[in-house]
Amino acid sequence: MKKIICILLAVILAVSVAVLSVGAVNSKDDYSKMITDGKYNPSDSYTVDENVPTCEEAIVACGGSLDEVQYIYFQLPEEDPSNPSSYWTNKFNTLPGTDYCQVCAYWWGGIGKEWPDGSGVKWVGYRATLVDKANRIYRAALPGDGDTPLVVWNNGVNGGMDDTAEIFNYARQMLDVNIEGCEPGDEVTLPEGTPDPDTADGCISIIDWSVSQQNALTGFYNYGSNLYVYYGNGCYGNYFKGSDNFYSVARNDLNPDHHQCDVDFSGAVESADATAIQRHLAEKVVLDDANLKLADPDADKVVSIMDATRIQRYLAEICNIDGSKPYSAEANAYLNTVY
């Protein structure tokens, strides 16, 4: 499996955090968008607010063209009570009038690294766009000029250096993600079949909790990620659709949280899917790995009669596919994935 592992740039990351100072309140005076006077003068002291430019706005303001960008996606980690680092959403990055976390992207080179007036871009960088709330997917436009080898995802919170300050505990960022194309045979390569060998256009960063680095200055752990092809609707995999190894989104989808339950690939979740599981367990038919991947609605990593029962209960609108109650069509919207 070809995947991109975040490059561990300890020195750069340490410097990036060292320049941060502490603030607990946003101020519109700390960020001025380019549409006013063409300047970008954010303070180091505050977190993301509605005046932080989006990635697209920043590229245009710095003389770039949106016809020459690469779109990179990021899946916000799902909150896990056993893992405090998984919590990215907090009161410092949920803007007024919204109910979702802001995600920002920062890059070290290329268009947008510096503002037209010569000032350096400050942390937290630029705002990414939420494109799929149900699946927690954000999109950032990055320069496609070949001069942007790395991107850092963060949750828009400048935690600073004072570990006694409340805001200190709310900052999150990923390790640098390599989005630069590599020659065949290199240890780090883009997913197979990438249409543009020089960029990661159309790829998505998925957090890898097994790759981490403790920042020497703050003590916080920053985590790595793997880069996959993004298919949409929360689905991602190792192969672009133009690859000889790509079969279909349903069969190539690697999203461990994306249990469509369309076991027989009919295009809909129905009683036949529960029957397929029952027949498999009775050894009357044998489901292959691709089918079995979609046959575990209770996500216990074991296909059992309980999974068939869960599908039946969902179809009878007794519970949602994740087992929660009461039944809600909206809670099951992700099952309507179109392949």
Side-chain angles (χ1 to χ4, degrees):
M1 178 176 66
K2 296 182 178 180
K3 56 185 180 180
I4 290 187
I5 304 296
C6 297
I7 295 179
L8 311 181
L9 297 181
V11 175
I12 296 179
L13 284 172
V15 171
S16 73
V17 175
V19 299
L20 306 184
S21 56
V22 178
V25 181
N26 290 333
S27 168
K28 291 184 177 180
D29 296 331
D30 290 294
Y31 288 90
S32 59
K33 278 192 175 182
M34 68 297 298
I35 57 175
T36 55
D37 56 5
K39 295 181 179 180
Y40 176 78
N41 298 309
S43 164
D44 286 311
S45 302
Y46 297 97
T47 59
V48 64
D49 65 25
E50 62 270 21
N51 293 307
V52 176
T54 65
C55 298
E56 287 88 345
E57 289 172 330
I59 289 174
V60 171
C62 293
S65 169
L66 296 184
D67 294 330
E68 300 174 352
V69 298
Q70 50 182 320
Y71 287 103
I72 313 297
Y73 297 85
F74 173 75
Q75 185 176 49
L76 191 74
E78 189 170 16
E79 294 185 351
D80 178 0
S82 66
N83 180 12
S85 295
S86 68
Y87 285 75
W88 277 47
T89 303
N90 57 69
K91 62 183 180 181
F92 294 106
N93 61 15
T94 303
L95 301 184
T98 67
D99 59 354
Y100 57 87
C101 168
Q102 297 295 312
V103 169
C104 296
Y106 185 99
W107 53 88
W108 302 108
I111 296 171
K113 176 187 176 183
E114 295 181 351
W115 209 243
D117 65 0
S119 60
V121 176
K122 307 292 180 62
W123 197 258
V124 291
Y126 309 116
R127 281 190 295 137
T129 301
L130 178 65
V131 294
D132 184 343
K133 184 177 179 180
N135 289 298
R136 314 180 309 283
I137 306 296
Y138 294 76
R139 184 191 69 195
L142 277 73
D145 53 12
D147 294 326
T148 308
L150 302 170
V151 62
V152 180
W153 296 98
N154 67 83
N155 71 339
V157 177
N158 180 347
M161 298 293 295
D162 181 2
D163 61 6
T164 66
E166 180 188 16
I167 198 172
F168 180 84
N169 296 307
Y170 289 94
R172 298 288 184 272
Q173 74 179 64
M174 302 293 293
L175 290 172
D176 294 27
V177 180
N178 182 1
I179 57 171
E180 187 177 43
C182 299
E183 294 296 325
D186 285 357
E187 181 179 353
V188 180
T189 60
L190 296 175
E192 181 180 304
T194 307
D196 183 352
D198 297 321
T199 72
D201 185 45
C203 291
I204 185 170
S205 294
I206 303 297
I207 194 167
D208 184 347
W209 297 109
S210 69
V211 178
S212 65
Q213 179 181 342
Q214 186 177 26
N215 188 286
L217 297 175
T218 66
F220 266 110
Y221 279 92
N222 298 325
Y223 291 89
S225 66
N226 297 320
L227 203 62
Y228 299 97
V229 180
Y230 185 51
Y231 302 132
N233 294 311
C235 300
Y236 55 84
N238 290 319
Y239 308 109
F240 276 86
K241 294 180 180 179
S243 167
D244 292 337
N245 289 310
F246 178 82
Y247 183 82
S248 70
V249 171
R251 289 182 179 270
N252 288 106
D253 179 23
L254 295 177
N255 189 344
D257 300 321
H258 203 178
H259 303 283
Q260 297 96 343
C261 306
D262 182 15
V263 182
D264 60 4
F265 298 116
S266 68
V269 179
E270 51 198 0
S271 60
D273 297 304
T275 301
I277 295 175
Q278 293 169 332
R279 289 174 60 81
H280 172 79
L281 295 172
E283 299 184 355
K284 292 184 178 181
V285 297
V286 178
L287 296 177
D288 64 20
D289 290 342
N291 298 105
L292 288 173
K293 183 173 60 177
L294 305 183
D296 186 25
D298 62 11
D300 65 354
K301 300 183 179 180
V302 177
V303 176
S304 69
I305 193 63
M306 299 305 296
D307 294 301
T309 301
R310 175 70 64 80
I311 292 176
Q312 291 170 331
R313 289 172 60 82
Y314 154 71
L315 292 172
E317 298 187 2
I318 296 174
C319 69
N320 298 309
I321 201 66
D322 63 2
S324 61
K325 299 178 181 179
Y327 171 84
S328 167
E330 182 178 344
N332 302 284
Y334 69 96
L335 295 176
N336 300 321
T337 300
V338 178
Y339 302 125

